[in-house]
Amino acid sequence: MSGKTVHIKSFGCQMNKLDTTLVNSALKDSGFALTDRVKEADVVLINTCSVREHAEQRVISHLGHLQHIKKSRPDIVVGVIGCMAQRLGNKLLQHDAVDIVCGPAQIPQLTKLITQTLKQNQETISVTEKIRKGTDESQALALEDFESAYGTHDKQIPGQAYVRIMRGCDNFCSYCIVPYVRGPEVSRPPEAIIEQIKKLAEAGIKQVTLIGQKANSYKYKSGDKTYCLADLLRTACDIEGIEWIRFVTSYPSEKFFEEILQAMADLPKVCNYLHMPAQSGSDKILRAMNRHYTAAQYLEMLYKARDIVSEIAIAGDFIVGFPGETDNDFEATVDLVKKARYKNCFIFKYSPRHDTIADKRLADDIPLEVKKKRNIDLLAIQEEISGQLSAEYLDKKVKVLVEGLSKKPHLDSAQSNGNPQLIGRTETDYIVVFNGSQSLSGQFAQVKITKTSPLTLFARLM
Ligand code: SAH
Ligand code: SF4
Ligand code: F3S
């Protein structure tokens, strides 16, 4: 629709960010112009996340802000897309600010919904009726076509792109909303994924990150052969122009585990990085979370990963304050974190999600103050470990893929030679800050580490 401008803001995980870039490309293709400024936009889209209460509250407060803007500009169209749109459906449409509600499986139709709303000035909703039954076949085909057509433009960070290998999740961890908003687990056809990576390589992409809620469970049957993640990694490595390949997230499971790690060890292009959330170190809590491993089994897998890939960096996720988590359970988590020696950890306070098994069966009985304290304590323990691990990089020469300008001023500007401060990442996912020309964005650079902190390495260009 020529002449109309769209602003889109993403609140969620990599899945959501990828959906945002797909939607952006489709809208541009239909003649919409994109803008970074809400004030200039005819259409404002919010791509939402339901994983914790806090994520939803941020969206609600943003909608409040948009409602205010709408008082002076009543013709502005506001669309809510993503996981919250699927979860709340009509309830969201009742919000004064909202004109369009569109679920994650309906994004191929979003351009049409927006055009209709702009023309006819009426509210519209499109979500999956019975999400656990999955999308119908025509919808599934439309999603796959949409992904193949627009999944080749992703350049949020210069030189890098996400490629979805799986949709949905069937794991039903008892606390988690994802299976109820993203639907059943579906692995995409390997040919479609590889074709997409080839196109990205032709467009100058150097690093692809394969994404799925359980990327390591990727499984696609075609004729007599069943493809797993290791097969995808091997084929992707043959694509000229692609230099680094990552995948997230890994669910701790023995299935395919050694094969994938062996591929990581054998293939230089596969980054030595594993994001494998443990969630808790207490077997009692792991059982209540419906995670299918014990702390000992988890550690065994982690040690095996270090054995097979000697330079591997491992990141984890934990939930503190899950129902029934005693001091002893929390101590077991602390113990696991100390043994695992993660590069970094994402730590979350348990947030009950409507409709999940944990919410239906277990009372949210850990006081907020206790959740907060456990969160702070665990972060402090992890920070010490992160500090020790990053200190090992001091004086080392490393290769980084440059992302662009660093927002926080870290470095002494007297030593910058007039160059701005850049941010890059190592193969092992360490953030490195150094002074250099902005033209390096999207390129690889060799740097020498001059100073370290728990989460950031500082360096100079070599
Ligand atoms: N599929 C990925 C992660 C999905 S959500 C995986 O299984 O590893 C990202 C993280 O959010 C999870 O790893 C978990 O630590 C956290 N999380 C999910 N649901 C949550 C809830 N109800 N409360 C707090 N944290 C939650
Ligand atoms: Fe949620 Fe568990 Fe699936 Fe991850 S594996 S998305 S935590 S249900
Ligand atoms: Fe991602 Fe949040 Fe949805 S974590 S899949 S955007 S619920």
Side-chain angles (χ1 to χ4, degrees):
M1 201 170 194
S2 60
K4 295 288 182 190
T5 51
V6 185
H7 171 85
I8 175 161
K9 189 172 166 66
S10 209
F11 282 90
C13 64
Q14 292 105 330
M15 282 289 158
N16 260 32
K17 296 215 168 81
L18 175 54
D19 287 344
T20 294
T21 55
L22 298 181
V23 164
N24 270 341
S25 307
L27 286 169
K28 262 202 277 186
D29 226 35
S30 304
F32 286 92
L34 303 178
T35 172
D36 289 339
R37 295 164 62 96
V38 176
K39 276 191 183 152
E40 289 168 1
D42 300 303
V43 181
V44 178
L45 298 175
I46 316 174
N47 198 357
T48 59
C49 172
S50 290
V51 83
R52 281 170 291 276
E53 183 64 29
H54 178 66
E56 294 202 341
Q57 274 164 359
R58 283 174 62 213
V59 169
I60 298 295
S61 91
H62 194 63
L63 284 176
H65 173 64
L66 292 173
Q67 194 176 344
H68 185 70
I69 294 180
K70 266 192 153 183
K71 279 191 189 136
S72 53
R73 293 188 50 208
D75 52 340
I76 199 171
V77 166
V78 173
V80 181
I81 64 175
C83 296
M84 225 174 134
Q86 176 59 45
R87 191 176 92 75
L88 294 171
N90 264 314
K91 281 192 202 141
L92 265 177
L93 205 58
Q94 281 160 19
H95 191 292
D96 282 346
V98 180
D99 304 292
I100 300 171
V101 173
C102 174
Q106 283 70 30
I107 51 170
Q109 286 90 52
L110 183 60
T111 311
K112 202 173 86 196
L113 297 180
I114 293 172
T115 311
Q116 270 172 4
T117 308
L118 281 167
K119 276 192 192 142
Q120 293 156 7
N121 196 21
Q122 67 186 29
E123 295 180 342
T124 33
I125 176 163
S126 185
V127 293
T128 306
E129 190 96 19
K130 291 203 164 81
I131 185 82
R132 285 307 306 168
K133 290 223 159 89
T135 46
D136 62 40
E137 204 170 328
S138 67
Q139 188 71 48
L141 282 174
L143 256 184
E144 194 44 53
D145 285 350
F146 189 74
E147 186 113 34
S148 296
Y150 297 111
T152 52
H153 304 52
D154 184 3
K155 272 190 203 162
Q156 281 198 330
I157 302 176
Q160 305 189 15
Y162 290 129
V163 175
R164 184 168 4 233
I165 59 169
M166 297 168 86
R167 302 197 171 91
C169 186
D170 285 348
N171 231 59
F172 292 99
C173 302
S174 65
Y175 51 80
C176 185
I177 195 75
V178 173
Y180 305 93
V181 286
R182 288 275 169 173
E185 200 167 303
V186 183
S187 291
R188 295 184 60 216
E191 318 83 65
I193 296 167
I194 296 299
E195 196 51 37
Q196 221 175 302
I197 302 177
K198 280 186 185 156
K199 290 210 176 114
L200 288 165
E202 280 163 20
I205 291 294
K206 296 194 168 65
Q207 171 182 288
V208 288
T209 303
L210 310 182
I211 63 172
Q213 298 297 351
K214 294 155 56 198
N216 57 327
S217 316
Y218 175 88
K219 196 169 137 194
Y220 192 91
K221 214 168 164 343
S222 173
D224 298 341
K225 178 149 173 73
T226 301
Y227 293 84
C228 71
L229 179 64
D231 298 310
L232 281 185
L233 293 172
R234 282 211 174 79
T235 319
C237 281
D238 291 337
I239 299 172
E240 206 180 316
I242 297 296
E243 296 191 40
W244 278 0
I245 304 167
R246 303 177 185 278
F247 58 89
V248 285
T249 312
S250 294
Y251 181 85
S253 151
E254 287 289 354
K255 194 141 192 239
F256 305 130
F257 193 64
E258 285 196 36
E259 256 173 288
I260 293 167
L261 287 160
Q262 204 53 57
M264 193 184 275
D266 295 345
L267 303 164
K269 287 186 181 182
V270 179
C271 294
N272 294 342
Y273 171 72
L274 190 69
H275 182 186
M276 185 166 76
Q279 312 297 2
S280 171
S282 150
D283 290 345
K284 179 191 97 189
I285 298 294
L286 286 170
R287 253 194 323 274
M289 286 177 163
N290 194 29
R291 302 285 286 187
H292 305 279
Y293 51 85
T294 61
Q297 285 166 336
Y298 176 88
L299 277 175
E300 212 173 290
M301 282 185 261
L302 186 139
Y303 295 147
K304 198 186 273 175
R306 291 224 163 98
D307 236 22
I308 300 176
V309 186
S310 54
E311 302 274 289
I312 199 167
I314 302 176
D317 289 4
F318 286 89
I319 296 176
V320 292
F322 187 81
E325 187 188 65
T326 61
D327 286 342
N328 277 346
D329 294 318
F330 178 65
E331 276 314 308
T333 297
V334 169
D335 190 49
L336 177 65
V337 166
K338 286 183 178 163
K339 287 184 177 138
R341 294 187 69 73
Y342 295 105
K343 164 192 167 278
N344 68 301
C345 271
F346 301 94
I347 303 169
F348 307 102
K349 295 184 281 295
Y350 172 67
S351 166
R353 308 313 294 134
H354 198 62
D355 281 345
T356 59
I357 302 287
D359 188 47
K360 282 184 191 157
R361 297 196 190 148
L362 306 167
D364 180 19
D365 58 357
I366 309 299
L368 184 58
E369 285 313 308
V370 177
K371 287 181 185 172
K372 278 188 188 158
K373 183 167 179 347
R374 288 180 184 166
N375 196 341
I376 292 169
D377 290 352
L378 199 57
L379 267 177
I381 289 158
Q382 179 54 43
E383 191 169 298
E384 201 182 323
I385 298 166
S386 295
Q388 290 162 1
L389 293 178
S390 57
E392 291 173 12
Y393 276 83
L394 195 64
D395 293 331
K396 279 198 181 153
K397 291 168 193 165
V398 291
K399 182 176 164 183
V400 293
L401 181 54
V402 183
E403 296 188 354
L405 295 178
S406 156
K407 289 185 191 92
K408 281 192 229 151
H410 286 290
L411 298 171
D412 183 356
S413 57
Q415 294 170 8
S416 70
N417 286 333
N419 275 322
Q421 208 179 253
L422 301 178
I423 191 163
R425 260 173 218 265
T426 65
E427 167 189 5
T428 45
D429 202 48
Y430 275 88
I431 296 167
V432 185
V433 176
F434 59 100
N435 289 314
S437 156
Q438 204 181 340
S439 63
L440 284 172
S441 302
Q443 309 289 324
F444 286 100
Q446 292 286 345
V447 297
K448 184 169 179 187
I449 308 299
T450 52
K451 199 173 104 184
T452 66
S453 75
L455 293 179
T456 314
L457 307 176
F458 303 93
R460 66 178 156 71
L461 261 177
M462 294 184 46

